[in-house]
Amino acid sequence: MAKVKVIAEIANAHLGDPARLAELIIAAADSGADAVKFQWFRYDSIAAPDFIYYQDYIDLSIDKKIWADSLKLAKGLGLEVWVDIYDEWGVGVLAEFENFVDGLKVPTTVLQSNTLIQALKKFEKPILIGVGGWFEEEIDKQLAYIKNNFRGPIILIHGFQGYPTRTEDSNLRRLAYLKQRYQLEVGFADHEDADNEMAVDLPVYAYLLGAGIIEKHITIHRSSKGTDYYSALEPHEFRVMVEKLRRAEVVFGSLEIKESERKYLEDSSLKIVSRKGINPGEIITDEKIIYKRSSVPDAFMAQKASELFPLIAKSVIPADTPITREMVKKPKVCIAVICRLKSTRLRQKALLPINGVPSIERCLINCLAVPNCHQVILATSDLPEDQPLTAFTLDNKVKIVTGDPINVAKRMLRAAEETNADIVVRVTGDDPFVSPEILAFLIDHHLKSGADFTYAKESTMGTVGDVITVEALRRLLQLLQHSENLIYTEYLSFYFFNNPTLFNVDSIVIPNKWVFPDWRLTLDEPKDLELFEKIYKDLDVGKRPLYFEELKSFLLNHPELIEINKGIKVKWLDDISLINELNQATRLYNPESL
């Protein structure tokens, strides 16, 4: 059998972002794909304004200039380029960039458009015909029309395009049937749930059953969701799939699951049960569940654990209770940027411009780039002196929450509650270089561990934040409600560090590639501002996120810049008496210890 052609289906995973599109193309090449496939359409050409996804189409629009750059990038990486054509606009783009395109596809949903077929016939390129869901008599009619109008190779693409496709709907047996009936080459477009191990193996089976082309969605981080993520493999998973395709093993038969089989499985197989009592707002991880038989019909089945968890308890779940969908929800994460204008060393430092953009806005822009965050909040005080900060909504992308000027924990809880968040990430407004990559890494670890408080054991100053479960923050404030030491909530982490019997603290060792302890990237002194202005200006960063990888590359190539603020210390860290005072003041009374 000829070598299978692996096409990395980018589709709309770019979310309308040119940078994300370029990243996906590079990831496809690195993962061993032979080709990438784009979707070319324009919102007002593919749909009428009343269509339910019309606004989504607008948001996903990519300019022709960006497509031109993407084609050059793909070709430069040695990739073939295939294109889904949906409408007249796509045909026009194809005419302009024909020399960069190796093949076309007419998707299943537009196969009935004879006008589109007529417009495409002049290009004389190989064409993939999506036939998933069409009856034989419908395929017969449309395929006869296509054969009469095309001189290039025709390949039939099988694959049900549900997102995700149930395994039992893959029906790979149709591959051999289509190949024999129409005497044409066949391929397989796989949309299996990417969290299912079959998402890597089904393409292998399809190849061995006759598919010469495999289409598979690719994404950078499935946890960031967005568009077309359900069946998309991450680069490392895509690479595994390619490797398996190259050393494929034989598999035969249908994956159809009978209703009687399924009912027996649901009645008798293991269900997910709470191992211990779980509080409202608590993160439910693998360690807090056990698998047992249960007669609760809606309880989650054991095999769903890997794709379901972590989850958040909506109410009290007693020990040994079968867990159902009504008891839980997906974690909702917010980032609370804590900021005031009370600084004396660098007056109103949050408002000071860095290459023309206020420092606090730089911080907020980077927070908005964290992929698995639902809301970014600027949490300041309700004092008149801090009112200038309430203007930084960034076109309503950032929510403003004002509150207690002294009790930072109370202000954070208010921010979390106003956004219905389960997890709150505390970021200091002094950090215009806070890293989207590192915050995402910490959030992911926090959710997997089920901790109350997660922090980076070592880091680059000014690039990280603390991740806190809102339920734990609420518990802390209940313990502090009669305390007179609320001034110490500015040093919130001490309350978690110093009370190990009350809170589960997770100290994360982040990758060495993100740790530069000699770099100072927090704004507190004029020399800090001098360094920051130099970085943002030399990198020509306007109003866009600055990712740590770009920053690291720049500073490693310009090590002399670190000398600008190298001698500045974090004053409170060297104040032994203050540290002792904080340690003493933040040790809490534990009523359960009596």
Side-chain angles (χ1 to χ4, degrees):
M1 189 182 297
K3 179 183 176 183
V4 62
K5 186 188 297 294
V6 181
I7 300 178
E9 170 71 87
I10 289 178
N12 294 305
H14 53 72
L15 301 179
D17 181 357
R20 190 185 294 263
L21 176 58
E23 189 177 6
L24 285 163
I25 294 169
I26 294 170
D30 290 343
S31 301
D34 301 300
V36 288
K37 185 155 70 66
F38 305 132
Q39 291 186 357
W40 283 353
F41 61 85
R42 181 178 164 86
Y43 56 91
D44 54 359
S45 183
I46 193 175
D50 67 320
F51 188 58
I52 187 173
Y53 296 119
Y54 192 80
Q55 182 59 49
D56 291 342
Y57 291 158
I58 293 175
D59 296 339
L60 292 169
S61 294
I62 293 284
D63 184 79
K64 283 198 295 185
K65 170 64 169 62
I66 302 302
W67 283 125
D69 293 339
S70 301
L71 291 168
K72 292 175 184 175
L73 175 60
K75 287 297 183 181
L77 293 170
L79 294 168
E80 289 184 8
V81 174
W82 291 68
V83 182
D84 283 331
I85 302 295
Y86 286 89
D87 56 24
E88 292 178 356
W89 185 86
V91 174
V93 178
L94 175 61
E96 191 169 341
F97 303 130
E98 179 182 1
N99 292 337
F100 292 94
V101 176
D102 298 282
L104 311 176
K105 182 178 180 182
V106 178
T108 303
T109 54
V110 296
L111 181 60
Q112 67 273 41
S113 174
N114 289 343
T115 302
L116 187 61
I117 300 299
Q118 282 291 328
L120 292 176
K121 70 177 184 179
K122 65 180 180 181
F123 296 103
E124 298 186 9
K125 292 183 180 292
I127 187 165
L128 310 177
I129 304 297
V131 295
W134 292 101
F135 294 119
E136 277 79 357
E137 56 267 30
E138 295 170 320
I139 298 174
D140 292 344
K141 179 180 177 181
Q142 201 59 30
L143 195 55
Y145 185 85
I146 293 171
K147 285 181 175 179
N148 288 334
N149 285 278
F150 265 87
R151 287 190 290 272
I154 298 172
I155 303 101
L156 303 182
I157 299 295
H158 168 63
F160 171 56
Q161 291 180 275
Y163 290 93
T165 300
R166 296 183 308 167
T167 303
E168 58 265 34
D169 287 336
S170 297
N171 205 12
L172 296 184
R173 188 170 289 174
R174 283 187 63 82
L175 285 165
Y177 169 75
L178 291 169
K179 190 171 187 176
Q180 181 180 12
R181 178 184 175 96
Y182 297 105
Q183 294 298 298
L184 291 172
E185 291 300 313
V186 295
F188 182 56
D190 181 29
H191 297 88
E192 175 73 31
D193 187 334
D195 287 324
N196 190 324
E197 63 181 4
M198 291 296 289
V200 171
D201 292 332
L202 272 176
V204 178
Y205 304 158
Y207 166 58
L208 293 173
L209 288 171
I213 289 179
I214 296 295
E215 286 183 35
K216 188 72 176 179
H217 283 264
I218 189 170
T219 189
I220 301 301
H221 298 294
R222 195 159 52 250
S223 61
S224 64
K225 298 186 178 180
T227 303
D228 295 329
Y229 74 93
Y230 300 98
S231 56
L233 297 180
E234 295 181 358
H236 69 281
E237 297 167 329
F238 201 101
R239 190 176 300 111
V240 171
M241 181 196 72
V242 172
E243 290 171 353
K244 285 193 172 186
L245 280 166
R246 303 308 178 206
R247 60 176 194 273
E249 296 179 356
V250 175
V251 62
F252 297 98
S254 170
L255 293 175
E256 181 183 356
I257 304 253
K258 303 299 181 182
E259 184 177 347
S260 57
E261 289 182 277
R262 191 65 184 176
K263 186 177 185 309
Y264 172 80
L265 189 63
E266 292 174 353
D267 289 345
S268 304
S269 66
L270 298 176
K271 304 290 180 67
I272 296 175
V273 176
S274 56
R275 185 183 291 272
K276 62 177 184 176
I278 299 172
N279 295 320
E282 187 175 343
I283 303 173
I284 307 174
T285 59
D286 289 340
E287 293 74 22
K288 297 175 184 178
I289 61 174
I290 193 170
Y291 305 137
K292 295 184 178 182
R293 289 188 173 184
S294 166
S295 295
V296 176
D298 297 331
F300 291 124
M301 297 179 72
Q303 64 264 37
K304 292 287 185 181
S306 61
E307 64 189 74
L308 286 171
F309 293 96
L311 292 168
I312 297 291
K314 292 164 65 174
S315 58
V316 172
I317 303 177
D320 211 30
T321 299
I323 298 176
T324 66
R325 191 171 302 278
E326 291 71 28
M327 299 176 181
V328 296
K329 61 179 179 176
K330 284 290 185 182
K332 189 174 182 180
V333 180
C334 75
I335 297 176
V337 178
I338 308 300
C339 187
R340 291 192 57 195
L341 297 177
K342 63 177 184 175
S343 174
T344 56
R345 286 188 290 273
L346 194 58
R347 189 173 178 273
Q348 293 194 317
K349 57 186 177 182
L351 305 181
L352 296 176
I354 302 175
N355 194 28
V357 178
S359 174
I360 186 61
E361 187 169 345
R362 293 282 186 202
C363 179
L364 292 168
I365 289 171
N366 278 11
C367 289
L368 286 168
V370 177
N372 43 2
C373 172
H374 293 81
Q375 180 70 63
V376 174
I377 305 130
L378 176 53
T380 188
S381 85
D382 51 15
L383 297 177
E385 65 189 63
D386 290 321
Q387 288 309 293
L389 290 170
T390 63
F392 289 92
T393 65
L394 277 59
D395 297 326
N396 295 317
K397 296 185 186 74
V398 173
K399 184 177 179 63
I400 306 297
V401 171
T402 60
D404 194 310
I406 297 176
N407 193 333
V408 174
K410 188 175 181 180
R411 207 186 320 155
M412 286 180 60
L413 180 60
R414 181 175 180 182
E417 290 180 340
E418 288 198 15
T419 55
N420 296 314
D422 307 293
I423 309 297
V424 58
V425 183
R426 183 186 64 167
V427 169
T428 302
D430 300 342
D431 296 341
F433 293 99
V434 64
S435 164
E437 307 103 302
I438 301 176
L439 289 186
F441 180 85
L442 291 170
I443 292 168
D444 182 61
H445 272 265
H446 183 86
L447 291 173
K448 289 178 180 177
S449 71
D452 293 323
F453 183 88
T454 297
Y455 72 102
K457 190 172 183 180
E458 287 187 284
S459 65
T460 303
M461 185 186 297
T463 63
V464 299
D466 298 324
V467 189
I468 308 169
T469 299
V470 173
E471 182 270 336
L473 186 61
R474 193 175 285 116
R475 273 192 284 129
L476 172 61
L477 281 167
Q478 288 173 348
L479 291 167
L480 290 175
Q481 61 183 332
H482 301 301
S483 174
E484 298 179 357
N485 295 329
L486 297 182
I487 58 172
Y488 296 108
T489 59
E490 182 178 352
Y491 304 93
L492 186 61
S493 57
F494 279 77
Y495 287 99
F496 292 99
F497 297 152
N498 288 323
N499 296 282
T501 62
L502 296 176
F503 301 107
N504 175 16
V505 176
D506 195 6
S507 173
I508 297 298
V509 177
I510 63 176
N512 288 333
K513 65 179 181 178
W514 292 335
V515 179
F516 294 86
D518 295 333
W519 294 1
R520 174 185 165 87
L521 298 174
T522 191
L523 181 60
D524 202 35
E525 301 279 358
K527 285 292 184 181
D528 299 326
L529 185 62
E530 179 184 343
L531 170 63
F532 298 175
E533 176 72 17
K534 180 70 174 171
I535 293 171
Y536 271 97
K537 186 174 182 180
D538 286 2
L539 284 173
D540 192 25
V541 179
K543 291 189 176 184
R544 68 166 175 86
L546 178 56
Y547 290 89
F548 189 79
E549 289 300 323
E550 180 182 0
L551 171 65
K552 178 179 77 172
S553 177
F554 175 77
L555 288 177
L556 289 176
N557 287 320
H558 300 84
E560 72 281 359
L561 295 181
I562 295 301
E563 301 297 323
I564 292 176
N565 67 347
K566 188 173 183 180
I568 302 173
K569 303 293 183 182
V570 179
K571 293 180 172 53
W572 71 268
L573 285 176
D574 294 328
D575 190 337
I576 302 301
S577 62
L578 175 60
I579 298 294
N580 291 335
E581 180 182 343
L582 287 170
N583 284 327
Q584 183 175 355
T586 57
R587 290 191 181 96
L588 301 176
Y589 160 71
N590 182 5
E592 295 183 1
S593 65
L594 297 179

